[in-house]
Amino acid sequence: MEELWGQTYAYLRVSTREQNEERQLAAIEGLEIPKDNVILDKESGKNFHRPEYIKMKAKMEKGEILYIKSIDRLGRNYHEILEEWRFLTREKYVDIVVLDIPLLDTRIGKDLTETLISDLVLQILSYVAERWNRGELPLKEAAKESGLSLSTFYRRAKGVKRSPLQKRNYQ
């Protein structure tokens, strides 16, 4: 029997001065998300003043899906990201799909082992996001200027090689 989900949403957040939403819009292109359910906040991530996100979160119901490009769209620090993830997945029973990190897709892998792995990846990425946002990691500015996702930048900064099949042309 095929599993059915409710509404789908995408949440995009950009800083009004430093970013533009085109990269995030490109990431959700081709997904079946009603235009009215593509939610955008043009607010700094340094605090949780995100009016559109708060409205969307209140409206979401069990079985609905939230797409985000990267985990740092949920928050800027370790505790904020983990709390939002917990609230959405365990209190609202919303599924989350992190487009940059396919392992963080709560629609699949709901057994104990896969949940453990997902939780560990989430905790590590939340930790890295907070350290970058605090300026504790020396490559933070380079990641921001490059426009790469957290996971892609980290992989490149650490020199992790891609297989020939994974290589793309980057400018």
Side-chain angles (χ1 to χ4, degrees), residues 134-171:
R134 285 184 182 177
E136 294 174 359
L137 294 178
L139 299 175
K140 177 186 175 204
E141 291 303 315
K144 188 176 179 182
E145 289 178 15
S146 72
L148 296 176
S149 70
L150 188 67
S151 60
T152 301
F153 180 78
Y154 185 77
R155 187 175 56 246
R156 289 189 188 173
K158 292 295 183 185
V160 177
K161 302 285 187 221
R162 290 178 162 231
S163 75
L165 295 176
Q166 292 176 310
K167 289 185 180 178
R168 296 181 183 149
N169 292 327
Y170 293 100
Q171 298 172 338

Side-chain angles (χ1 to χ4, degrees), residues 49-61:
H49 179 68
R50 301 182 217 162
E52 298 305 316
Y53 176 78
I54 293 166
K55 285 184 219 170
M56 176 196 70
K57 191 167 80 165
K59 184 167 99 171
M60 293 185 84
E61 297 178 354

Side-chain angles (χ1 to χ4, degrees), residues 36-171:
D36 289 345
N37 289 359
V38 176
I39 309 303
L40 172 66
D41 274 320
K42 290 194 174 195
E43 300 285 342
S44 168
K46 73 180 178 179
N47 59 45
F48 216 84
H49 179 68
R50 301 182 217 162
E52 298 305 316
Y53 176 78
I54 293 166
K55 285 184 219 170
M56 176 196 70
K57 191 167 80 165
K59 184 167 99 171
M60 293 185 84
E61 297 178 354
K62 181 178 182 176
E64 296 184 331
I65 303 170
L66 173 62
Y67 288 92
I68 54 175
K69 179 160 178 13
S70 59
I71 196 67
D72 61 351
R73 299 301 87 185
L74 291 180
R76 290 277 296 250
N77 67 56
Y78 179 80
H79 296 291
E80 201 173 74
I81 293 169
L82 293 179
E83 176 56 27
E84 285 303 304
W85 188 275
R86 185 200 61 74
F87 177 79
L88 291 168
T89 61
R90 296 196 176 124
E91 288 186 33
K92 297 285 274 187
Y93 298 100
V94 169
D95 278 304
I96 302 174
V97 178
V98 181
L99 297 170
D100 284 352
I101 307 160
L103 182 62
L104 294 179
D105 181 341
T106 63
R107 298 172 302 173
I108 54 176
K110 294 188 185 240
D111 73 13
L112 187 58
T113 300
E114 290 165 329
T115 300
L116 171 68
I117 292 168
S118 251
D119 287 350
L120 290 172
V121 169
L122 176 65
Q123 288 186 20
I124 291 166
L125 292 173
S126 300
Y127 170 78
V128 171
E130 179 168 351
R131 296 239 9 243
W132 278 356
N133 284 315
R134 285 184 182 177
E136 294 174 359
L137 294 178
L139 299 175
K140 177 186 175 204
E141 291 303 315
K144 188 176 179 182
E145 289 178 15
S146 72
L148 296 176
S149 70
L150 188 67
S151 60
T152 301
F153 180 78
Y154 185 77
R155 187 175 56 246
R156 289 189 188 173
K158 292 295 183 185
V160 177
K161 302 285 187 221
R162 290 178 162 231
S163 75
L165 295 176
Q166 292 176 310
K167 289 185 180 178
R168 296 181 183 149
N169 292 327
Y170 293 100
Q171 298 172 338

